[in-house]
Structure formats: C-alpha cells, structure tokens
Amino acid sequence: MRVLVIGSGGREHALCWAAARSPQLGALFCAPGNGGTAALAENIPLDPMNFTACAAWAERQAIDLTLIGPDDPLGGGIADIFAARGLRVFGPSAAAARIESSKAWAKHLMRAAGIPTAHARSFDDRAAAEEYLRNYEARGGAYPVVIKADGLAAGKGVVLARDGAAARAALDHLLVAGGLGAAGRTVLIEAYLEGPELSLFALVDGARMVPLTPACDYKRAEDGDAGPNTGGMGAYSPPSFATPALLAEIEARILRPTVAALTAAGTPFRGLLYAGLMLTREGPKALEFNARFGDPETQVVLPRLESDVLALCAAAADGQLDRVPMPAWSAKATCGVVVASAGYPGPSASGLPITGLETLDSDILVFHAGTRRVADGQLVTSGGRVLTLVAYGETVAAARAHVYANIERVRFAGARWRRDIAAREQPVGQ
Ligand code: AMP
Ligand code: GLY
C-alpha cells in the first residue's frame, strides 16, 4: 500500500511510525512532514491547505490511502476533493467535520440527539449575549461560565470566565473586536462542568464505530493546570479511572448516538471521531468533538496499538469496519511529555539546534513536531511544540518515571515541559 500522511505535527509522526509497522506498507509519504517523519517517510513539500495540489499529487503517485491529520484541511473540505477524484481518504467530509469546525452546530446536533453535554446558548450579537448574561445573573446563575468561539481556533477559542467582567471581556474580544476573526463571529455561552477529563477516539466508517483505547491530555501550559490553554502538553494511556463500565457507558450514551445523529443529518462521518469528555458527578458529558486524531494523545495511543493501523484506517475509509478484527492493545501503559519552545503557546523562536536525542534510552519514542533538518543535517526547532517523548511502562507510574528520567537529556535553548504529566494520574482542576 502506498500511503500519504497529511500534516506536520507529533500526531502525524506517530501516524507515520504506526504505518511503518504495518505489513501492508509499500511506500510512505508525509506532506509536509517534519524532521522526524523524514526518517520514516519521504517528506513532500505540499501545503495541506492546497487541496487540489495534494489530491493531484496523490493521484500522480498512485497513493492507495491518504490519512489526514489536522483539523483545518478537514474543515475546509480536503476529504471531499480527494473523494471527488476517487482517491481513498481517511478523514470526514467538510460537512461531517462540522462536528469540530462549528461548536454551535455540534451543540445543536448533540441536543437534538439527547447526548449528555453542557448546556449552552449561541450568539452572534453582543447585545443579545448581554441580555442573556443579565437574565442569567438575575436568576442567580453562578460563575464561572465558559465562552467558546464557534470555529477552529487552535486551542485559543475557550475562555473560562470566572466572573461577569471576564465573560463580558471575552464576548467583547470575540464579537466586537473580532479577536479570532471568522472563528469567533458566533460564540457559545456554556455551563461550566467539573471533573476529570478523558479523550476517547473512535474509528468510524459512516455507520459503524470502533472505540480506541482511552487517554488523558493536559491542555494547560503550566504545572498544576495553570497558564493558558495549549494544543496539549502531555498525555498518558490508559487512565485507571476509565473502567470498562465507564467506557461502555460513553460508547452507548455519547459515541453511538453521535455517529447515528451525523448519519441522520445526512453527513455520515468517516474517519476518526474524537470525543473530549468530562466525567461529572451526573455522569460523562461531551465537552467537544474533534474530527481527527488528537495531539498529543495519538502519540500515547498508537504505540499501544498492536493491530495494523493501515488495515483499520482503510476499513473505516471503505465503510467496512465490520471486516477487520477489533484493535488489540498492549497491556503496557504509555506516558508522553511535550518538549516546547520558550514562549509557547505564544510566539517562539525557531532555528535553535536540538541536541541529546542520541543519548536517550533506546526504548524511548521521540515524536517530532516543530523540528526540521538544516543543510548540515543538524536538527533545529521550528515551532512551539517541538517534540513529544513517550515511554512505555508496566504501569502509568513506571512509564511516567521513565519518560522524566530521559527528558532532561534533550537540549535546546529555552526548552521547557510540564513536570506533572500523569503525576496524579488524572488532570486536576480543568
Ligand atoms: P475544548 O476546545 O472545547 O475542548 O475546550 C478546551 C478545554 O477547555 C477543555 O479541555 C476543558 O479543559 C475546558 N472546557 C471546555 N468546555 C468546558 C466546560 N463546559 N466546562 C469546563 N471546562 C471546559
Ligand atoms: N489534544 C487536544 C487536541 O488534539 O485537540
């Protein structure tokens, strides 16, 4: 099988790594890829947002399966362009990807299907949002509330507003100042939920779904869940609180009805459906859905997959998940920690030499994100999230100890990472 992976992050490196273990793999390409994917795949300098160029290249190269990593191309319709040329693609249509690209649409779908989620109202008018907040306050409604931009915002679209002033500032930023552009032209005012968070991925073939193993992600930049939201600073799998009974409940009450609702809406989903869940006192609730693999969860989930990732993704793309064996998972746990540039999630420097990777224990997995190789072969930084280091262990605690015993050996100017990934075996206070 000739396989193309679209994207350039740690998630895509992990997809390439898993694809490289498949007995079916013939040739592997990654567009545009990074300094890590270059060792497993041929990096192709295509822009993931230039859908026609990507599809034309895939056609010329007789690609058998294309895996789309990031949200932006999916939301923009890359899978539609591939499908229109008869190319096999793992990733939903733009219409189905609205489950991620419009939080208001997703909320409407969930509400209509009776899927447990936080109560929310959507607004595109500042005055109407003000009236809602005034009524909410007059009824004794409590803070915090959550203000969310409707569209894709690279993790910057969610504000936990601790009081009315913060809520109003967030509304002003999005609806008046246009702080996130079109992504923030519609906002949700959402009830604040509390509890541990869980990421659960499912392969979906348009009708059937197969859940993958659960993971926990750490979204805040600093230890103790302080600081701004990021794309994710680390993850581990499996969380001990994700019991078979809990997973069965999430599958029955959230994942299956969502897949059915997408089909009923005329937008069947094919690809990877990612449920971001909060385990509240009233039971699991959907915080959000994404239409793609999560980053960095993929870096801890795929290393535990003992089955052929290409067989699974091809079956989902073909609408034939009933024809593949269920995925098998390693009994070992994984813990992954993101090594980020100084300043992340704000602007950060690029081009800083990275050293020490050759000194890591041989069983540590290194998934690159913001890296590239310069002329003399030197690896340098090229973004906010630079690497995810992943260790296996007999337990989550052992995996955690192993990854942190190695991470200090990675060096570049300003390198930083959270020290508490998997420390309490669940994210606190998010
Ligand atoms: P999202 O992009 O919707 O996953 O939101 C990013 C993060 O914001 C989530 O991982 C949560 O930690 C937090 N968050 C989102 N929605 C809520 C909510 N309704 N209540 C509490 N925290 C939330
Ligand atoms: N780790 C969060 C995300 O991929 O959206």
Side-chain angles (χ1 to χ4, degrees):
M1 205 187 280
R2 292 169 65 77
V3 176
L4 169 63
V5 174
I6 301 258
S8 61
R11 163 184 53 209
E12 286 78 17
H13 190 181
L15 282 165
C16 286
W17 177 86
R21 292 154 59 96
S22 164
Q24 298 186 53
L25 185 72
L28 184 60
F29 306 91
C30 191
N34 59 40
T37 61
L40 296 168
E42 185 180 338
N43 282 352
I44 308 294
L46 287 164
D47 173 2
M49 293 308 287
N50 189 340
F51 309 152
T52 320
C54 290
W57 186 90
E59 200 165 35
R60 274 201 311 279
Q61 292 290 326
I63 296 297
D64 300 300
L65 176 65
T66 301
L67 309 176
I68 314 287
D71 49 2
D72 277 331
L74 287 168
I78 190 170
D80 304 82
I81 301 284
F82 273 68
R85 288 183 182 239
L87 293 163
R88 182 157 65 173
V89 60
F90 178 82
S93 65
R98 279 185 88 194
I99 190 109
E100 173 169 12
S101 63
S102 170
K103 289 186 193 282
W105 189 81
K107 196 57 99 172
H108 178 74
L109 185 104
M110 284 190 260
R111 196 177 304 141
I115 291 152
T117 182
H119 179 264
R121 286 281 302 273
S122 65
F123 301 93
D124 47 25
D125 176 57
R126 178 68 179 84
E130 182 62 33
E131 193 187 331
Y132 175 82
L133 275 187
R134 287 228 180 99
N135 286 333
Y136 177 79
E137 288 162 349
R139 290 197 313 272
Y143 284 94
V145 297
V146 184
I147 311 285
K148 290 187 176 181
D150 177 55
L152 298 176
K156 296 184 185 117
V158 177
V159 174
L160 307 181
R162 67 182 72 229
D163 54 27
R168 288 176 172 86
L171 292 170
D172 284 342
H173 175 65
L174 295 171
L175 291 175
V176 181
L180 289 176
R185 243 176 247 148
T186 299
V187 300
L188 266 64
I189 304 181
E190 183 170 294
Y192 177 78
L193 301 179
E194 279 176 286
E197 282 187 53
L198 187 67
S199 300
L200 188 60
F201 300 164
L203 296 165
V204 183
D205 74 354
R208 286 163 286 258
M209 56 138 256
V210 173
L212 304 187
T213 196
C216 272
D217 173 28
Y218 289 71
K219 288 209 169 67
R220 300 293 199 92
E222 316 282 347
D223 288 359
D225 292 322
N229 259 327
T230 70
M233 295 296 289
Y236 69 92
S237 176
S240 60
F241 58 86
T243 60
L246 176 68
L247 295 173
E249 183 184 359
I250 293 168
E251 186 176 331
R253 295 185 59 206
I254 298 178
L255 284 175
R256 283 193 190 283
T258 302
V259 171
L262 282 160
T263 305
T267 55
F269 190 98
R270 281 188 183 180
L272 193 288
L273 185 65
Y274 160 150
L277 303 154
M278 194 162 276
L279 310 179
T280 73
R281 273 192 217 102
E282 295 116 63
K285 294 192 180 181
L287 281 182
E288 63 160 352
F289 283 100
N290 295 319
R292 50 165 177 88
F293 281 100
D295 187 340
E297 292 97 318
T298 304
Q299 293 92 302
V300 296
V301 165
L302 291 183
R304 295 191 54 236
L305 177 66
E306 290 182 336
S307 314
D308 177 352
V309 74
L310 295 181
L312 287 164
C313 292
D318 292 343
Q320 296 188 335
L321 273 177
D322 53 336
R323 304 239 179 124
V324 274
M326 290 294 99
W329 300 100
S330 164
K332 288 201 171 138
T334 44
C335 179
V337 180
V338 171
V339 184
S341 298
Y344 178 74
S348 52
S350 278
L352 304 167
I354 303 168
T355 58
L357 295 185
E358 67 293 345
T359 67
L360 300 177
D361 293 350
S362 58
D363 57 351
I364 297 285
L365 301 174
V366 182
F367 295 118
H368 294 223
T371 76
R372 69 190 162 82
R373 294 225 179 253
V374 287
D376 57 0
Q378 172 66 48
L379 193 68
V380 300
T381 64
S382 70
R385 290 193 290 183
V386 176
L387 304 162
T388 311
L389 256 56
V390 177
Y392 289 100
E394 295 303 324
T395 61
V396 169
R400 167 183 154 73
H402 194 33
V403 75
Y404 279 111
N406 276 269
I407 202 164
E408 303 273 351
R409 301 180 208 163
V410 177
R411 295 191 183 268
F412 59 86
R416 51 170 295 268
W417 53 85
R418 275 184 66 157
R419 293 173 190 278
D420 62 347
I421 304 304
R424 299 175 55 171
E425 224 242 54
Q426 68 182 52
V428 288
Q430 287 192 350

